[in-house]
């Protein structure tokens, strides 16, 4: 059975859209295809929730107690810190892979909708794994890590140059240096924003590309305002919905923080024995709900890409006619 999306409907991808239309049509498409998307991705969402619980539960039950203990008693156990942070890194990596696997579900839906204006419902109850799309996302993520490393080296070079010139004495305590760093960060984020378009374009290309997803960067830069507004509005909506769906987990985390803060001044811990498994359980439920909240944030970006593609096609057509 297929979710029918008429080709002449308002939700067709390749149409010039305003910001309001990009955001509203993105969420409309998500809600309209939620049933087939849920059937396709619910097992992946469970994995996402479990890895989210593993990561956050480890922070609440291991990282925070270690920090409180070391602060309270003045301990400097480098072996314990290394072990704890290494395990936290592993849990974060597992969660990141689960997030990419979840995003692959949306990518498969985007590719199908782009070519046929339909999003199919999987035949089996266990849905689809979408490993080819996961591979594409993983490759793009690795390229983004490389770009981030390059940006980090640029940051280091600029800060080193500031220190070498003797403009300020201490880069971390100087207001002037912090202002320079803030400007650099804002400028870098502004320059990275067009990659939202180039990455989506690369992912939706029929032919898999191994090179960095930077083709069309100038086009993305030309539509910087639409991309910025889309990311900003979508981020606000996603953030508010995340707070609501994760409220029980937030309450659990705050309770743990207060308990460990009290322990730091000599009070008993005061947490029940079953608090550790309960923390993981609450975070798992919150993570499963959060999976579909965060999945929805990709749909407005998908329509921003479609709007830019159509506007560019019309611009080229006008240039040819003139």
């Amino acid at each position: 059975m297929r979710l029918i999306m008429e080709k002449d409907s308002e939700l067709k991808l390749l149409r010039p859209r305003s910001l309001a239309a990009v955001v509203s049509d993105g969420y409309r498409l998500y809600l309209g295809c939620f049933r087939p998307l849920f059937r396709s991705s619910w097992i992946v969402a469970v994995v996402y929730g479990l890895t989210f619980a593993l990561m956050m539960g480890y922070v609440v039950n291991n990282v925070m107690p270690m920090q409180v203990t070391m602060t309270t008693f003045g301990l400097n156990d480098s072996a314990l810190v290394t072990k704890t942070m290494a395990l936290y890194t592993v849990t974060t990596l597992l969660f990141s892979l689960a997030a990419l696997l979840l995003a692959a579900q949306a990518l498969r839906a985007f590719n199908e909708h782009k070519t046929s204006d339909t999003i199919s419902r999987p035949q089996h109850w266990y849905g689809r794994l979408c490993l080819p799309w996961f591979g594409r996302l993983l490759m793009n993520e690795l390229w983004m890590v490389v770009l981030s490393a390059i940006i980090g080296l640029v940051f280091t070079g600029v800060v080193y140059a500031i220190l070498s010139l003797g403009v300020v004495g201490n880069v971390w305590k100087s207001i002037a240096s912090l202002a320079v760093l803030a400007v650099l960060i804002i400028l870098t984020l502004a320059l990275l924003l067009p990659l939202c378009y180039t990455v989506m374009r690369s992912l939706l290309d029929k032919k898999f590309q191994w090179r960095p997803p930077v083709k069309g960067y100038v086009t993305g830069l030309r539509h910087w305002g639409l991309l910025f507004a889309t990311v900003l509005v979508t981020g606000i909506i996603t953030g508010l919905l995340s707070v609501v769906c994760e409220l029980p987990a937030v309450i659990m985390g705050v309770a743990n923080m207060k308990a460990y803060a009290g322990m730091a001044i000599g009070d008993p811990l005061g947490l029940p024995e079953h608090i550790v498994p309960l923390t993981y359980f609450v975070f798992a439920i919150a993570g499963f709900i959060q999976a579909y909240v965060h999945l929805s944030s990709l749909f407005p970006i998908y329509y921003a890409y479609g709007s830019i593609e159509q506007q560019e096609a019309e611009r080229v057509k006008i240039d040819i006619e003139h």
Side-chain angles (χ1 to χ4, degrees):
M1 181 178 179
R2 301 177 70 85
L3 178 67
I4 304 300
M5 311 276 307
E6 296 182 1
K7 292 187 177 182
D8 295 331
S9 70
E10 295 181 356
L11 295 181
K12 189 175 180 179
L13 173 64
L14 297 178
R15 287 184 55 197
R17 285 178 168 85
S18 64
L19 169 63
V22 163
V23 175
S24 62
D25 286 355
Y27 284 109
R28 283 174 59 196
L29 177 64
Y30 176 72
L31 294 176
C33 69
F34 181 78
R35 291 181 63 183
L37 190 62
F38 180 85
R39 183 183 174 93
S40 176
S41 63
W42 71 271
I43 292 182
V44 178
V46 169
V47 174
Y48 178 96
L50 292 176
T51 54
F52 177 74
L54 184 65
M55 179 182 67
M56 296 305 299
Y58 189 78
V59 170
V60 171
N61 296 316
N62 296 87
V63 177
M64 286 173 48
M66 179 196 69
Q67 292 178 339
V68 170
T69 301
M70 296 182 68
T71 302
T72 303
F73 300 103
L75 300 178
N76 188 15
D77 192 342
S78 59
L80 176 62
V81 173
T82 301
K83 179 182 177 181
T84 302
M85 298 313 297
L87 290 175
Y88 172 68
T89 302
V90 171
T91 59
T92 303
L93 179 61
L94 291 175
F95 172 70
S96 300
L97 292 175
L100 289 178
L101 194 59
L102 181 69
Q105 299 289 332
L107 180 59
R108 185 210 61 81
F110 294 160
N111 276 272
E112 186 176 8
H113 180 260
K114 179 185 177 182
T115 57
S116 62
D117 289 327
T118 61
I119 296 177
S120 64
R121 179 181 178 182
Q123 297 179 354
H124 305 289
W125 61 270
Y126 49 81
R128 302 184 179 94
L129 197 54
C130 302
L131 287 180
W133 306 118
F134 170 76
R136 286 195 175 197
L137 283 167
L138 183 59
M139 179 57 63
N140 279 270
E141 185 68 19
L142 292 176
W143 277 120
M144 295 305 295
V145 171
V146 172
L147 291 175
S148 299
I150 294 174
I151 292 171
L153 292 175
V154 173
F155 273 177
T156 303
V158 172
V159 173
Y160 180 77
I162 294 174
L163 289 174
S164 300
L165 291 173
V167 178
V168 292
N170 190 321
V171 67
W172 299 113
K173 295 181 180 180
S174 169
I175 297 178
S177 297
L178 290 177
V180 170
L181 289 175
V183 170
L184 287 174
I185 292 173
I186 294 173
L187 181 61
T188 301
L189 292 177
L191 293 175
L192 287 176
L193 187 62
L195 293 179
C196 292
Y197 166 74
T198 63
V199 169
M200 185 65 72
R201 179 180 181 178
S202 173
L203 292 173
L204 295 179
D205 193 343
K206 293 182 180 180
K207 185 178 180 181
F208 179 73
Q209 302 290 340
W210 291 94
R211 59 175 178 264
V214 295
K215 184 179 180 181
Y217 179 83
V218 175
T219 300
L221 195 61
R222 190 180 300 118
H223 297 271
W224 190 91
L226 175 64
L227 292 172
F228 173 76
T230 302
V231 171
L232 179 63
V233 174
T234 305
I236 292 174
I237 295 174
T238 303
L240 293 175
L241 292 176
S242 297
V243 170
V244 173
C245 73
E246 295 176 12
L247 189 58
V250 171
I251 294 174
M252 183 71 68
V254 170
N256 279 269
M257 290 175 62
K258 288 187 176 181
Y260 291 123
M263 188 183 72
I265 59 176
D267 295 337
L269 185 58
L271 293 175
E273 295 180 356
H274 60 274
I275 191 65
V276 173
L278 181 61
T279 301
Y280 282 104
F281 176 76
V282 172
F283 274 114
I285 298 298
F288 179 80
I289 300 173
Q290 173 187 273
Y292 289 101
V293 171
H294 289 182
L295 196 62
S296 67
S297 65
L298 299 177
F299 283 74
I301 298 176
Y302 167 67
Y303 270 113
Y305 153 80
S307 177
I308 292 174
E309 286 285 276
Q310 186 62 22
Q311 290 181 49
E312 287 298 307
E314 293 179 358
R315 185 179 68 84
V316 171
K317 183 179 179 181
I318 293 174
D319 290 343
I320 293 176
E321 291 177 351
H322 290 79

